[in-house]
């Protein structure tokens, strides 16, 4: 009962802190991290234990699916090199550097030191993106960081699994390494097949509550299945989510999509809050269990790890950016350098770091200093980098980027024309009214006060919506517009469909 009451209180505090953060124009995670740590040191704070494997499934699976669903394959292809540089090379370099520090300062065994490096290596750009989107920096930078956030988790968690296996059992790179590669390939195939299977299996479901529940069941089910059969759950989940993102929209009723988006946004927020709460509650028993000598050593390790992850990212981003511009002889040196500076400072660690640290087995070598270091890195990067992004953006003075708005404008012209084409040859009074509305680019909003005017009118509007959807899907499939523009236009069409088919009157024809 105490835990339930504490969770409710923290959720209320989180809403208040999120409101304060929006007022200040800063990301809310730093406030949540500080609140979680403070609660952990209160005298009445309870001790919470959670199964390590459950921590990954509960906190990582939904967040990964949410991030992967919003990731644009077009942007990944377009910015493949910088994304790969950050998601692969930077993660490996950070892991190696932190492992070296862990061995030298804390005397961690090699496998445990590598596990520590893998835990703190992947940044989470969600907090940074929340600030960056307010200032409209170049879309290229946001796309690179979004792609990095999705793919670096896979890289880090593969290394993490190998290190944990080596520390708690027997692992030989020469013999077991190829097995991990094969499992990674199998995970990609499994993610794609499970995504297609989910789409087919849930096609008959049209009510929003059942559809949303099945989304959560599918998400956790895919993760648990991958874990049970020995695949990489992280890779399987990423491919599964991207498969759904590309293929499910054309099959999902608009009402289900509008409902599920709001539910998922809330669920991800709650998971972030609970993760910071649980990690904050771990700080006090960890510190209490360390002797004064070991405590000073653990704090020295935490500070050194924070400095290492920050320095490695800055040096790698600036060095690789300079090398790339030199090879390509880029003329936009000043603008590109400003972009590198911004990306190098967006190394905020978040939920993945917390959950993987907490998922370490109870008897893992050096578990307490590793968990303490992970929490210190998350809290340090959230405060140090998260709260200084806004002044940094002002200092860099990027020109406002309107590429997404341009995509939306181009897409809107096409989808409106598709609606007009669907009315071609129809000389009824309702068709003439609709045609005039589309030509004026006002959609169906003028008739929203009387959505039940006539069944014929509703049928015409739904026919137009159906053609708009088909045109929009072709635009994304051909790469004419990006996924962010696609989702904005999709939302507009969803609301137009819901307006044309009031709840409880008749089902949309597009389903």
């Amino acid at each position: 009962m105490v835990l339930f009451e504490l969770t409710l209180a923290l959720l209320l505090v989180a809403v208040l802190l999120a409101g304060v953060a929006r007022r200040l124009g800063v990301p809310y995670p730093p406030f949540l991290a500080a609140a979680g740590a403070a609660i952990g040191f209160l005298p009445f704070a309870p001790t919470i234990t959670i199964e390590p494997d459950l921590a990954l499934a509960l906190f990582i699976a939904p967040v990964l699916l949410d991030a992967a669903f919003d990731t644009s394959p077009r942007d990944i292809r377009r910015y493949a090199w910088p994304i790969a540089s950050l998601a692969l090379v930077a993660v490996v370099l950070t892991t190696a550097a932190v492992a070296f520090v862990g061995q030298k300062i804390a005397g961690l065994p090699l496998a445990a030191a590598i596990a520590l490096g893998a835990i703190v290596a992947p940044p989470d750009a969600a907090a940074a993106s929340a600030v960056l989107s307010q200032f409209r920096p170049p879309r290229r930078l946001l796309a690179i960081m979004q792609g990095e956030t999705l793919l670096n988790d896979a890289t880090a968690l593969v290394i993490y699994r190998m290190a944990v296996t080596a520390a708690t059992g027997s692992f030989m790179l020469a013999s077991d390494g190829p097995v991990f590669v094969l499992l990674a390939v199998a995970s990609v195939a499994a993610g794609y097949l499970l995504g297609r299977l989910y789409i087919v299996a849930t096609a008959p479901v049209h009510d929003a509550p059942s559809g949303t529940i099945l989304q959560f069941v599918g998400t956790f089910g895919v993760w648990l299945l991958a874990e049970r059969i020995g695949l990489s759950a992280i890779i399987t989940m990423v491919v599964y989510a991207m498969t759904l993102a590309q293929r499910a929209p054309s099959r999902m009723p608009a009402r289900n999509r509008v409902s599920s988006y709001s539910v998922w946004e809330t669920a991800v927020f709650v998971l972030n809050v609970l993760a910071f709460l649980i990690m904050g509650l771990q700080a006090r028993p960890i510190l209490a269990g360390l002797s004064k000598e070991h405590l000073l050593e653990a704090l020295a390790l935490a500070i050194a790890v924070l400095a290492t992850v920050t320095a490695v990212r800055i040096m790698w981003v600036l060095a690789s950016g300079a090398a790339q511009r030199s090879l390509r002889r880029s003329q936009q040196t000043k603008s590109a350098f400003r972009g590198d500076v911004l990306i190098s400072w967006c190394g905020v660690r978040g939920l993945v770091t917390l959950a993987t640290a907490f998922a370490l087995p109870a008897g893992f070598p050096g578990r307490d200093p590793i968990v303490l270091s992970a929490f210190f890195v998350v809290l340090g990067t959230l405060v140090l980098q998260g709260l200084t992004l806004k002044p940094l953006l002002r200092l860099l003075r990027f020109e406002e980027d309107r590429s997404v708005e341009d995509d939306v404008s181009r897409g809107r012209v096409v989808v409106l024309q598709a609606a007009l084409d669907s009315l071609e040859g129809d000389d009824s009074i309702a068709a003439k009214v609709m045609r005039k509305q589309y030509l004026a680019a006002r959609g169906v909003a003028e008739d929203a006060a009387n959505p039940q005017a006539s069944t014929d009118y509703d049928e015409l509007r739904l026919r137009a919506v159906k053609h708009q959807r088909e045109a929009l899907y072709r635009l994304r499939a051909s790469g004419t517009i990006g996924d962010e523009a696609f989702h904005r236009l999709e939302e507009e069409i969803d609301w137009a469909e819901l307006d044309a088919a009031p709840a409880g009157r008749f089902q949309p024809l597009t389903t």
Side-chain angles (χ1 to χ4, degrees):
M1 192 65 178
V2 174
L3 176 60
F4 179 67
E5 294 171 352
L6 181 60
T7 302
L8 289 179
L10 185 71
L11 289 175
L12 176 60
V13 171
V15 172
L16 297 176
L17 291 177
V20 173
R22 282 192 294 271
R23 284 270 187 159
L24 299 176
V26 297
Y28 70 82
F31 292 91
L32 295 181
I39 291 174
F41 284 95
L42 293 176
F44 56 81
T47 301
I48 300 177
T49 58
I50 185 171
E51 186 180 344
D53 288 339
L54 176 60
L56 286 175
L58 178 62
F59 295 123
I60 300 302
V63 174
L64 263 183
L65 183 132
D66 184 65
F69 202 88
D70 293 333
T71 299
S72 170
R74 184 189 72 162
D75 289 340
I76 291 179
R77 290 192 298 268
R78 179 177 294 178
Y79 308 118
W81 161 246
I83 290 176
S85 171
L86 292 169
L88 296 175
V89 182
V91 168
V92 172
L93 288 177
T94 303
T95 301
V98 171
F100 177 79
V101 169
Q103 282 191 299
K104 291 298 181 181
I105 293 181
L108 294 175
L110 178 59
I114 293 175
L116 170 60
I119 287 170
V120 300
D124 180 1
S129 297
V131 177
L132 297 179
S133 59
Q134 300 174 16
F135 290 84
R136 298 177 182 268
R139 175 61 193 167
R140 169 181 173 274
L141 303 182
L142 291 175
I144 289 173
M145 285 187 286
Q146 189 174 28
E148 175 203 4
T149 298
L150 181 65
L151 300 179
N152 64 10
D153 293 339
T155 304
L157 286 178
V158 167
I159 299 174
Y160 170 84
R161 287 294 190 191
M162 295 169 66
V164 171
T165 301
T168 57
S170 58
F171 175 82
M172 297 296 294
L173 183 61
S175 58
D176 297 334
V179 175
F180 272 87
V181 174
L182 290 176
L183 289 177
V185 175
S187 300
V188 173
Y192 176 77
L193 292 175
L194 289 171
R196 297 297 299 268
L197 178 62
Y198 175 87
I199 294 172
V200 174
T202 58
V205 180
H206 295 294
D207 63 295
S210 297
T212 303
I213 291 173
L214 286 177
Q215 289 173 15
F216 281 98
V217 171
T219 299
F220 291 115
V222 167
W223 181 281
L224 295 175
L225 177 63
E227 287 279 354
R228 185 64 59 88
I229 63 179
L231 299 178
S232 169
I234 185 84
I235 296 176
T236 305
M237 181 56 60
V238 168
V239 177
Y240 169 79
M242 296 187 73
T243 302
L244 292 184
Q246 297 302 308
R247 299 182 179 274
S250 61
R251 300 169 180 261
M252 181 183 293
R255 199 178 308 280
N256 291 27
R257 182 162 44 248
V258 171
S259 173
S260 67
Y261 280 1
S262 61
V263 170
W264 274 96
E265 184 177 1
T266 303
V268 171
F269 177 77
V270 171
L271 287 172
N272 274 280
V273 171
L274 294 179
F276 284 117
L277 166 65
I278 293 175
M279 286 302 300
L281 293 174
Q282 305 306 306
R284 187 178 66 175
I286 289 174
L287 292 176
L290 294 171
S291 64
K292 184 176 181 180
E293 179 182 351
H294 288 117
L295 175 59
L296 294 176
E297 185 180 87
L299 290 175
L301 174 64
I303 294 172
V305 170
L306 173 61
T308 300
V309 298
T310 304
V312 169
R313 181 176 179 88
I314 292 174
M315 290 188 293
W316 172 249
V317 172
L318 296 181
S320 62
Q324 185 178 3
R325 289 191 297 274
S326 176
L327 292 174
R328 296 185 177 182
R329 298 180 180 179
S330 174
Q331 299 299 318
Q332 300 178 341
T333 304
K334 187 175 181 180
S335 175
F337 177 74
R338 291 202 302 267
D340 290 343
V341 171
L342 181 61
I343 291 177
S344 71
W345 196 242
C346 291
V348 177
R349 270 61 178 178
L351 189 56
V352 173
T353 293
L354 294 179
T356 50
F358 190 70
L360 287 172
F364 192 82
R367 187 183 191 277
D368 284 351
I370 289 175
V371 174
L372 181 64
S373 296
F375 185 74
F376 190 86
V377 167
V378 171
L379 185 60
T381 55
L382 282 172
V383 174
L384 178 64
Q385 298 178 332
L387 297 182
T388 57
L389 272 176
K390 189 173 181 178
L392 177 62
L393 281 165
R394 289 174 174 168
L395 180 65
L396 294 175
R397 296 182 180 180
F398 286 106
E399 293 183 4
E400 186 175 290
D401 187 287
R402 299 191 58 83
S403 60
V404 173
E405 285 73 13
D406 292 341
D407 273 0
V408 171
S409 297
R410 287 193 297 269
R412 184 176 288 117
V413 170
V414 175
V415 297
L416 287 173
Q417 185 60 48
L420 289 168
D421 293 343
S422 72
L423 302 174
E424 191 69 30
D426 193 330
D427 295 327
S428 65
I429 294 176
K432 290 178 180 179
V433 173
M434 284 191 65
R435 192 176 293 111
K436 183 178 180 180
Q437 290 176 335
Y438 281 119
L439 287 172
R442 295 176 183 174
V444 297
E446 294 178 359
D447 290 312
N450 188 20
Q452 302 182 29
S454 72
T455 302
D456 291 339
Y457 186 48
D458 289 332
E459 295 283 355
L460 284 171
R461 293 165 70 186
L462 288 173
R463 186 201 306 173
V465 166
K466 179 179 179 180
H467 282 74
Q468 285 180 294
R469 288 195 188 284
E470 292 172 353
L472 182 60
Y473 296 146
R474 289 195 297 269
L475 285 174
R476 185 174 71 163
S478 64
T480 304
I481 63 173
D483 276 38
E484 185 170 343
F486 169 82
H487 288 305
R488 289 193 191 182
L489 293 168
E490 183 185 53
E491 184 178 7
E492 291 180 10
I493 298 173
D494 284 345
W495 283 112
E497 179 178 329
L498 294 179
D499 183 48
R505 202 151 80 83
F506 59 86
Q507 292 297 320
L509 296 179
T510 52
T511 60

